[in-house]
Amino acid sequence: MFFIRLAGVPIGVDNRYAPVGWLCRNYQIESGDPAFTVRASDKMLIDELRGILSWSRDLTAAEAEELKKALQVEKPPSDEQEYREKIISCGGKKPVIPLETWSYLEELNVYRQICRKLINFDAFVLHAAVIAINGAGIAFVGKHGAGKSTRLRLWEDAFGKSAAVINGDKPVIRLLDGTLYACGTPWNGKENRDSNCMVPLKVLCFVERSTRVEIRRLQTEEISHRIFDHLLIPDNAADLKRLAGLINTLIGQIPCYLLKCCIEDGEDPLKIWNRIRQDINI
Amino acid sequence: MIKTKKNYILQKIGEEYMVIPVGTAAEQFRGMLTLNESAAFYWRELEKGTTFDSLAVLAMERFEDADEETVKKDIMEFLKDISFATETTP
């Protein structure tokens, strides 16, 4: 069991395995009085694995089939020790589903649970990469492979010490005293980029690959369906209504742009940022 | 009586009306439906529970210039499109 502070909210994590604690190392707090505590149950971990089997492109059909069969007889160990003892009791034979898989699933599930509960604190997770330029948060939102991480690198190179990566993949956005903040979290994507801080969210850019660089401000009616795919949809009506309220606040407050990206076309973050700054008067 | 299933939720996000599934409905239908203003009006009536005829009467009151045949055809098509998200009770 350990405690973290995420988007300003103290949270308890009743972990089964060590890696999720390591993942959260920069966000851990001494202890205290958590607003809520999460724990991944057997069923939750099994459901996470089933979910991955249904969409993952990293698994071959044969591998997916083997894991599906294994799921009928294997269940997640309660901790590392139980896993080791099981191997010893089976004469050294390892389970088909290794401990690393279960601990990865725990990491996913813990965040899913946290994000579902954070809606009660006017916060939600957005699939985006966020960078701060002189403290102003810019979120790059786009489909897998659209170039969110590439934009982070380009903008970081262009702005040097004025830039800070807040989160490379799944930041939390929180409404606090009327201001929307982008918050760092340990769940930060393949490149492990994040900062444990909150910055005011100033701009949202929907990124698309293109053959030439273009940026244009989106009208309100162009935003809702673009943002929808990048949200974690709550599992009940009351939370969905809260999320819809937050998204309406975001659409009302944060200027949203369509950024067509192309490095070969001389994409220059300084030019893009100046264009946005003139537009919204930052 | 035709009624929307309780796990399909109509929300106005920005300028768009969206029907979003939650809970078990999200396992059966991935994604969301976008509705125009008229369809959102029908949906709200269906949330309360209504009949085809009542819906047609309400629609005729709302869209004064529309002829009855067109309104009924529109409602019929709409009900067909969203049949996975509605249930009929006696």
Side-chain angles (χ1 to χ4, degrees):
Chain A
M1 174 94 178
F2 61 90
F3 301 91
I4 57 174
R5 189 180 303 280
L6 213 65
V9 180
I11 300 164
V13 180
D14 186 6
N15 59 317
R16 306 163 68 118
Y17 317 120
V20 68
W22 168 254
L23 177 76
C24 296
R25 64 196 178 282
N26 295 330
Y27 292 76
Q28 288 199 23
I29 52 176
E30 282 297 310
S31 64
D33 189 17
F36 59 85
T37 296
V38 295
R39 178 177 173 82
S41 67
D42 285 3
K43 183 181 181 306
M44 288 171 182
L45 294 183
I46 288 165
D47 286 348
E48 290 290 346
L49 183 51
R50 287 207 175 110
I52 286 178
L53 291 176
S54 68
W55 59 258
S56 177
R57 283 163 287 199
D58 297 333
L59 292 167
T60 64
E63 284 168 338
E65 199 51 42
E66 190 186 16
L67 286 168
K68 268 183 204 164
K69 273 188 193 163
L71 259 182
Q72 291 169 8
V73 288
E74 292 182 11
K75 69 177 195 108
S78 57
D79 53 28
E80 279 91 350
Q81 192 177 340
E82 187 186 299
Y83 183 78
R84 284 192 293 270
E85 283 168 2
K86 196 170 180 195
I87 293 175
I88 294 166
S89 70
C90 293
K93 192 182 170 217
K94 285 187 176 177
V96 173
I97 306 170
L99 185 62
E100 296 74 43
T101 299
W102 292 120
S103 61
Y104 169 67
L105 295 169
E106 182 182 40
E107 289 174 6
L108 289 184
N109 183 261
V110 160
Y111 197 38
R112 192 186 303 280
Q113 288 190 61
I114 288 173
C115 292
R116 289 210 191 283
K117 290 186 192 295
L118 279 178
I119 196 78
N120 297 316
F121 299 84
D122 288 333
F124 63 94
V125 66
L126 180 67
H127 185 209
V130 176
I131 193 164
I133 306 296
N134 295 319
I138 303 148
F140 297 107
V141 184
K143 290 179 184 165
H144 182 77
K148 298 187 291 293
S149 303
T150 307
R151 302 292 84 66
L152 285 191
R153 274 199 303 277
L154 283 178
W155 284 57
E156 216 179 357
D157 290 347
F159 289 93
K161 286 183 179 167
S162 302
V165 173
I166 304 303
N167 186 286
D169 194 41
K170 293 187 181 76
V172 165
I173 309 296
R174 186 171 185 201
L175 179 65
L176 214 52
D177 299 328
T179 301
L180 283 159
Y181 291 88
C183 313
T185 85
W187 288 267
N188 53 17
K190 282 180 187 164
E191 293 170 20
N192 296 316
R193 303 296 311 279
D194 71 277
S195 308
N196 183 1
C197 65
M198 297 166 67
V199 295
L201 181 63
K202 294 290 185 185
V203 179
L204 211 129
C205 289
F206 291 92
V207 293
E208 282 180 12
R209 283 174 185 269
S210 182
T211 51
R212 52 181 297 211
V213 180
E214 264 182 69
I215 182 152
R216 75 169 174 88
R217 182 108 178 235
L218 292 168
Q219 303 297 311
T220 308
E221 62 270 22
E222 296 178 283
I223 301 168
S224 323
H225 68 278
R226 285 180 194 275
I227 206 164
F228 180 83
D229 287 343
H230 306 287
L231 300 170
L232 176 67
I233 301 300
D235 54 8
N236 65 78
D239 288 352
L240 176 63
K241 283 177 185 166
R242 288 191 84 143
L243 176 66
L246 290 169
I247 299 305
N248 280 328
T249 302
L250 185 149
I251 292 172
Q253 282 189 11
I254 309 297
C256 294
Y257 289 82
L258 175 63
L259 175 58
K260 295 196 172 186
C261 307
C262 181
I263 294 172
E264 294 75 17
D265 190 36
E267 182 178 343
D268 181 354
L270 293 162
K271 272 190 195 168
I272 294 167
W273 183 228
N274 281 336
R275 155 85 170 78
I276 292 172
R277 282 177 65 199
Q278 282 168 12
D279 198 23
I280 61 175
N281 204 15
I282 291 181
Chain B
M1 176 88 80
I2 315 164
K3 207 166 186 246
T4 53
K5 292 179 184 168
K6 64 175 182 175
N7 281 349
Y8 288 87
I9 315 295
L10 175 67
Q11 285 293 308
K12 190 176 185 191
I13 299 179
E15 296 296 313
E16 286 193 90
Y17 293 95
M18 292 178 171
V19 173
I20 303 166
V22 295
T24 49
E27 291 161 22
Q28 289 146 17
F29 178 82
R30 292 187 187 275
M32 51 92 183
L33 283 174
T34 306
L35 305 184
N36 62 23
E37 191 111 26
S38 311
F41 167 73
Y42 295 146
W43 185 279
R44 286 208 181 99
E45 292 304 318
L46 288 162
E47 278 177 341
K48 294 179 257 176
T50 187
T51 62
F52 176 85
D53 289 337
S54 304
L55 206 50
V57 169
L58 282 170
M60 288 299 293
E61 284 169 13
R62 185 180 163 94
F63 311 112
E64 285 173 1
D65 296 339
D67 70 279
E68 191 173 345
E69 197 182 332
T70 309
V71 165
K72 284 188 171 175
K73 191 167 158 268
D74 284 353
I75 295 173
M76 192 79 86
E77 276 179 19
F78 176 63
L79 289 175
K80 198 174 147 196
D81 288 344
I82 62 158
S83 58
F84 65 91
T86 58
E87 52 199 2
T88 307
T89 53

